[in-house]
Amino acid sequence: MLASWNNRKALLAKTIILTVFLIIISIGGIFMEEAALETDFSRKNLSPCFKYLFGTDNLGRDMFARTMCGLSASIRIGILASAFSSVIALVFGIAAALGKRIDFIVNFLIDLIMSVPHILFLIIISLCFGKGVRGVVIGLSLTHWTSLARVIRAEVVQLKQQPYIKISGKLGKGKLYIAFQHMLPHVFPQFAAGLVLMFPHAVLHEASITFLGFGLSNEQPAIGVILSESTKYLVSGMWWLAFFPGVMLVIVVICFYAAGNNLRKVLNSASAHN
Amino acid sequence: MLLISVSLCSFLLMNASPIDPLSANVGQAALGQMSREHIEKLESYWGSKEPPVKRFITWGKDFISGDMGISLIYKRPVSKIIAERLKNSFILMLTAWIISGVIGFILGCISGMNEGKLIDKIIKCYCLIVSSAPVFYLAMILLLVFSVWLKVLPIGFFAPIGVKSEDVTLMDMLHHAVLPAVTLSITGVSSVAIHTREKMIDIMESDFVLFAAARGESRWQIFKNHCFRNVLAPAIMLQFAQISEIFGGSVIVEQVFSYPGLGNIAVNAGLGSDLPLLLAITVISAAIVFFGNLAADTVQHIVDPTIRRGGLNNVSILE
């Protein structure tokens, strides 16, 4: 059956499988929250076995449940943050292409954000808005829109030179009408792929900032928290505390990358059949 | 211009933060016990009642003349702490930056020259995994393997534990910088390698490479004569643009290895709400990134003759 599929269908199928996998993790994690918080000292410091796939930590918490729960939190925060920041990117990107003065301001903002390492920016923003989910989401949204905004701006600048856009303008259509009716459909594939490809960065930065102690609070089973706790036990040889959660995080991030790249190929009809 | 706005921006953000300079300096408990007059005196001393713009201007003047304020958690002038830590971080970042650039470039070239072959797939896979793994996780894995299991490299810090700072030799310092530097290099490799690879594939498909192959040049000759310079320019641009990434990575890596660098105190400053220190670090990191970009333009001029001769329209082709 697979042989009769063309590349486009296969890509679409892959993307759907990846998406379903990610959705299962993010929803499954919510249901595992209770198991993740349950402590049981009769089973502490177990190395991985069949019952506890990823082992247990020094409070006897099931690392598998904690990992799933943390991943799901990370994914949800990532989705929220990338949604916000891609909207910022879309608005700024299109706005930049329409007026010279706005273009100057937007470019300046992009340079401003790019010139400070993201981590430092996140630290400052989390100081400003407080730690926890809110600070992290605001921080991630404010820092991650820059590259997507650049892509969209370049696209729109190119579109502006197209004859049909110019004709539309000459026919008396307003700037907003042109932006929504003519430009948005063209920009959309770039936008969607950019949105999905923003997840990995957002998720990684979320984990890093939480790891450093500026993100989610300690009680929450977040990936960053799990990993920063496990650094203390690395030296005593409890490798499973760090190894499995990290591997799961890497797998999730790779899934996002793959899904984003596939989506780009599917939406970009010219390259879908290669 | 950009630097001023960076500092203004971070200044405003910190200004908006709920941290009260008075309670951060004196401590909440002490503040409660003080008399009203005393508090007012302190307020005028720290200037917390003055408008933010005025405070920013005073801070800016002091900053330019070298007085960056006094760190709240270390109780020492910020400029001294930064000078000290910057040296440590600088060694780390510079080595990582050079190693990752060179290795990334080589890997990218190999992979691009052999597109679709096994070695290309291995390199691509490696880059994907490395760019998907958080820096601190890589650092932890390396720590686990080399320090805990193999016991060949130290767990962290800048020098051996229990040795006086005067007795620390250069070898000790290098020995302790190996793991952090390696971690930073590994993560830096992937983006340079991927971009170089794509550039290389483009060039391998070009007419002049086809012609060179038709003339009977060997693969090495093709690479040396036709590809090297073309690939080098964008790679160098990218490498300079990566300074900010390396800086961000160093913040995390230094934290994992308890390496006393700039990133380490940045985290401490953030956790201890030490605003003067954090502000100074932000401005300095922005300055480093800024000079990196400046250097990129300069190097670009040297490497790429088309730009040197004023043919700026070639830039669009390179990008």
Side-chain angles (χ1 to χ4, degrees):
Chain A
M1 188 180 95
L2 272 171
S4 67
W5 282 21
N6 61 24
N7 261 325
R8 193 186 168 83
K9 275 185 191 162
L11 272 178
L12 207 56
K14 265 191 228 162
T15 317
I16 290 171
I17 292 173
L18 288 172
T19 318
V20 169
F21 173 69
L22 290 171
I23 289 173
I24 288 175
I25 288 186
S26 46
I27 293 179
I30 300 174
F31 290 114
M32 281 198 170
E33 199 153 341
E34 254 169 57
L37 293 173
E38 190 187 310
T39 53
D40 180 356
F41 285 99
S42 64
R43 56 171 202 204
K44 66 179 192 179
N45 295 340
L46 292 177
S47 43
C49 56
F50 273 114
K51 197 164 174 221
Y52 305 107
L53 278 176
F54 294 174
T56 56
D57 66 0
N58 65 327
L59 294 174
R61 292 177 294 194
D62 183 3
M63 287 311 285
F64 180 71
R66 278 173 72 71
T67 305
M68 283 303 160
C69 195
L71 279 177
S72 123
S74 287
I75 291 174
R76 274 176 285 150
I77 287 176
I79 288 175
L80 208 59
S82 352
F84 280 140
S85 72
S86 57
V87 169
I88 298 178
L90 188 66
V91 171
F92 277 7
I94 292 184
L98 294 182
K100 269 232 166 80
R101 207 169 295 161
I102 307 175
D103 189 30
F104 178 76
I105 296 171
V106 169
N107 265 329
F108 188 75
L109 273 178
I110 293 177
D111 282 342
L112 182 71
I113 288 176
M114 299 272 251
S115 66
V116 177
H118 277 177
I119 291 285
L120 270 182
F121 233 120
L122 287 172
I123 291 177
I124 295 175
I125 290 174
S126 96
L127 266 183
C128 180
F129 293 99
K131 292 165 190 172
V133 178
R134 204 170 62 119
V136 173
V137 171
I138 293 176
L140 290 174
S141 327
L142 287 182
T143 49
H144 280 67
W145 54 272
T146 49
S147 51
L148 185 58
R150 270 195 180 158
V151 170
I152 290 176
R153 178 183 163 271
E155 190 90 342
V156 175
V157 165
Q158 228 173 20
L159 275 178
K160 258 172 78 180
Q161 301 304 320
Q162 298 283 327
Y164 72 91
I165 299 272
K166 288 195 164 163
I167 290 170
S168 182
K170 285 277 185 291
L171 286 175
K173 302 288 188 205
K175 275 193 171 177
L176 275 179
Y177 179 86
I178 294 177
F180 280 99
Q181 290 294 315
H182 297 312
M183 293 191 171
L184 208 57
H186 269 276
V187 176
F188 183 73
Q190 295 274 7
F191 172 71
L195 172 67
V196 178
L197 288 176
M198 211 187 274
F199 285 148
H201 287 278
V203 168
L204 286 183
H205 272 121
E206 184 271 322
S208 308
I209 200 80
T210 308
F211 178 79
L212 291 178
F214 293 97
L216 306 181
S217 61
N218 269 347
E219 310 89 62
Q220 249 167 324
I223 282 287
V225 174
I226 295 173
L227 287 175
S228 80
E229 270 174 13
S230 66
T231 33
K232 293 173 206 149
Y233 304 102
L234 268 186
V235 185
S236 50
M238 283 150 68
W239 54 273
W240 61 88
L241 290 185
F243 184 73
F244 289 116
V247 168
M248 286 306 289
L249 181 60
V250 173
I251 291 175
V252 164
V253 171
I254 288 181
C255 285
F256 271 124
Y257 268 126
N261 282 327
N262 286 349
L263 194 66
R264 186 157 62 186
K265 281 183 199 154
V266 170
L267 290 175
N268 184 353
S269 44
S271 71
H273 292 279
N274 293 340
Chain B
M1 177 70 182
L2 200 63
L3 280 179
I4 294 172
S5 10
V6 165
S7 45
L8 180 64
C9 198
S10 33
F11 191 86
L12 287 179
L13 272 175
M14 287 181 192
N15 216 4
S17 75
I19 299 160
D20 177 24
L22 266 186
S23 50
N25 273 294
V26 190
Q28 201 72 49
L31 198 63
Q33 290 168 355
M34 269 181 221
S35 65
R36 191 138 265 284
E37 291 136 46
H38 203 129
I39 292 178
E40 266 166 21
K41 218 190 246 171
L42 277 175
E43 262 172 4
S44 65
Y45 176 65
W46 292 102
S48 60
K49 278 283 148 66
E50 281 171 40
V53 181
K54 201 173 163 195
R55 257 162 53 206
F56 177 69
I57 293 170
T58 1
W59 174 83
K61 271 188 198 152
D62 287 349
F63 191 88
I64 292 167
S65 60
D67 173 19
M68 305 182 189
I70 291 172
S71 157
L72 301 181
I73 35 177
Y74 294 97
K75 304 286 177 211
R76 286 166 52 207
V78 170
S79 48
K80 270 191 188 152
I81 303 177
I82 288 188
E84 207 171 87
R85 298 298 181 103
L86 190 60
K87 198 181 64 198
N88 295 350
S89 271
F90 202 66
I91 305 170
L92 195 66
M93 288 194 280
L94 196 67
T95 31
W97 188 69
I98 292 171
I99 294 175
S100 69
V102 172
I103 295 183
F105 183 69
I106 295 173
L107 284 183
C109 286
I110 295 174
S111 168
M113 293 277 284
N114 301 297
E115 195 203 345
K117 292 187 187 153
L118 183 66
I119 186 151
D120 176 39
K121 278 180 188 152
I122 294 173
I123 291 173
K124 244 168 69 185
C125 186
Y126 164 80
C127 288
L128 182 65
I129 291 177
V130 163
S131 57
S132 314
V135 187
F136 60 87
Y137 181 60
L138 264 173
M140 282 161 72
I141 296 291
L142 287 177
L143 194 68
L144 191 65
V145 172
F146 288 103
S147 308
V148 180
W149 287 346
L150 300 177
K151 294 195 168 54
V152 282
L153 290 166
I155 292 172
F157 301 110
F158 189 51
I161 300 163
V163 177
K164 271 193 230 154
S165 56
E166 300 94 64
D167 300 341
V168 178
T169 60
L170 189 66
M171 264 326 278
D172 282 336
M173 275 161 60
L174 287 179
H175 194 208
H176 282 258
V178 168
L179 264 190
V182 166
T183 316
L184 268 184
S185 318
I186 289 180
T187 49
V189 161
S190 65
S191 69
V192 178
I194 287 174
H195 281 89
T196 310
R197 175 180 173 274
E198 267 160 26
K199 200 75 218 160
M200 199 70 188
I201 290 172
D202 283 352
I203 290 171
M204 290 305 280
E205 282 168 358
S206 69
D207 291 341
F208 59 82
V209 169
L210 187 67
F211 182 53
R215 276 202 311 266
E217 286 189 27
S218 71
R219 292 179 67 80
W220 169 245
Q221 272 175 325
I222 289 177
F223 173 72
K224 195 182 65 177
N225 299 337
H226 307 290
C227 303
F228 182 66
R229 276 201 151 200
N230 276 316
V231 176
L232 192 60
I236 286 179
M237 280 300 274
L238 192 73
Q239 187 61 13
F240 276 103
Q242 253 211 317
I243 289 180
S244 141
E245 295 266 308
I246 293 249
F247 199 99
S250 82
V251 173
I252 297 165
V253 168
E254 281 172 13
Q255 190 66 12
V256 176
F257 290 103
S258 325
Y259 187 89
L262 209 55
N264 194 300
I265 46 169
V267 174
N268 286 342
L271 289 175
S273 0
D274 187 348
L275 299 186
L277 187 56
L278 193 56
L279 196 56
I281 293 171
T282 313
V283 174
I284 283 183
S285 71
I288 293 175
V289 174
F290 175 75
F291 283 113
N293 289 341
L294 208 66
D297 289 343
T298 321
V299 174
Q300 185 87 4
H301 269 260
I302 299 168
V303 175
D304 194 336
T306 51
I307 292 179
R308 196 165 54 216
R309 283 171 205 145
L312 269 168
N313 42 350
N314 284 54
V315 177
S316 57
I317 302 169
L318 281 171
E319 232 119 40

